[in-house]
Amino acid sequence: MRVADVMTRDVITAPPHATVGAATELLARHRVRHLPVVADGALVGIVSDRDLRAVGSDHPGAPAGADRGTPLGDVARAPVWTAHPRDPVQVAAATMRDQRVGALPVEAGGALVGIVASSDLLTALVTMTGAGGAATRLEVDLPHRPGALAEALRIVADAGVNVRSILTPHSDAASARFALQLDTIDARTVRARLRRAGFAVAEPGDGDGGA
């Protein structure tokens, strides 16, 4: 999944000369938490609702001497960490985690084309894991050999069960653990068949979340 699949395309922005007070009202009116600052079509900074709330307070990170009449250009954070529409969502998530930011403006060809926030990445996580609805998570340890995953999936298919998604939460030199999200609320038949084929399957409560 790419950033373009989850980002907000209609981005609310403000110019550097807009005041802190005006920006605060803009965020509240549109119910957003991050406001890119744009000058002559170029991204020059970003502020969050938290940044604006700190203005005029005794918070250690509050800009000295700023108040609601201060221009955004004086309090905005710059340079700005950004994403590209074609970036995988996990790359955007890693950037947010490493840089401790809650949103990334999305640029393409030098233009601001969207913004992706932490809430968008949570939506992506739910979609990618197939969470929600009647499903069972089954975790299977597969050896690092060609065809092991295909063999396990064939066993699942032969049991008449569809695989909604596949993730790899753990891997070491000998094997990888695959988390299969199955379109069933009863995975006992699939679990038994995989074990008969020699695959190690986690017990319910050991991380597969299934019945």
Side-chain angles (χ1 to χ4, degrees):
M1 183 175 290
R2 305 287 179 177
V3 165
D5 298 323
V6 297
M7 70 183 187
T8 297
R9 296 177 183 273
D10 296 327
V11 188
I12 306 302
T13 66
H17 58 76
T19 65
V20 167
T24 301
E25 294 171 2
L26 188 63
L27 289 178
R29 184 163 64 251
H30 291 278
R31 298 183 179 181
V32 294
R33 296 174 55 194
H34 300 89
L35 185 65
V37 181
V38 176
D40 298 323
L43 179 67
V44 296
I46 189 169
V47 292
S48 70
D49 57 347
R50 181 179 298 179
D51 297 330
L52 298 180
R53 287 197 304 269
V55 171
S57 73
D58 57 1
H59 189 279
D67 57 29
R68 286 180 59 84
T70 299
L72 281 183
D74 293 347
V75 300
R77 296 177 182 269
V80 185
W81 291 95
T82 63
H84 188 277
R86 292 196 298 271
D87 286 344
V89 291
Q90 58 267 34
V91 171
T95 300
M96 287 189 197
R97 178 200 62 196
D98 295 344
Q99 304 305 323
R100 303 183 70 175
V101 296
L104 299 174
V106 183
E107 291 188 305
L112 181 66
V113 297
I115 188 168
V116 60
S118 54
S119 58
D120 299 319
L121 298 182
L122 288 175
T123 299
L125 177 63
V126 170
T127 301
M128 292 171 67
T129 58
T136 298
R137 178 182 170 100
L138 199 67
E139 296 196 354
V140 187
D141 292 327
L142 301 179
H144 289 307
R145 63 171 174 80
L149 177 59
E151 182 181 346
L153 293 179
R154 188 162 50 249
I155 292 170
V156 176
D158 289 345
V161 176
N162 180 56
V163 177
R164 184 179 296 180
S165 68
I166 304 175
L167 296 176
T168 311
H170 174 74
S171 180
D172 57 31
S175 65
R177 173 160 290 195
F178 287 84
L180 312 179
Q181 194 77 4
L182 307 180
D183 274 331
T184 180
I185 59 173
D186 187 352
R188 288 175 293 185
T189 298
V190 174
R191 184 182 290 108
R193 291 189 181 187
L194 286 168
R195 285 176 174 158
R196 282 200 298 270
F199 294 113
V201 183
E203 288 291 342
D206 288 345
D208 70 350

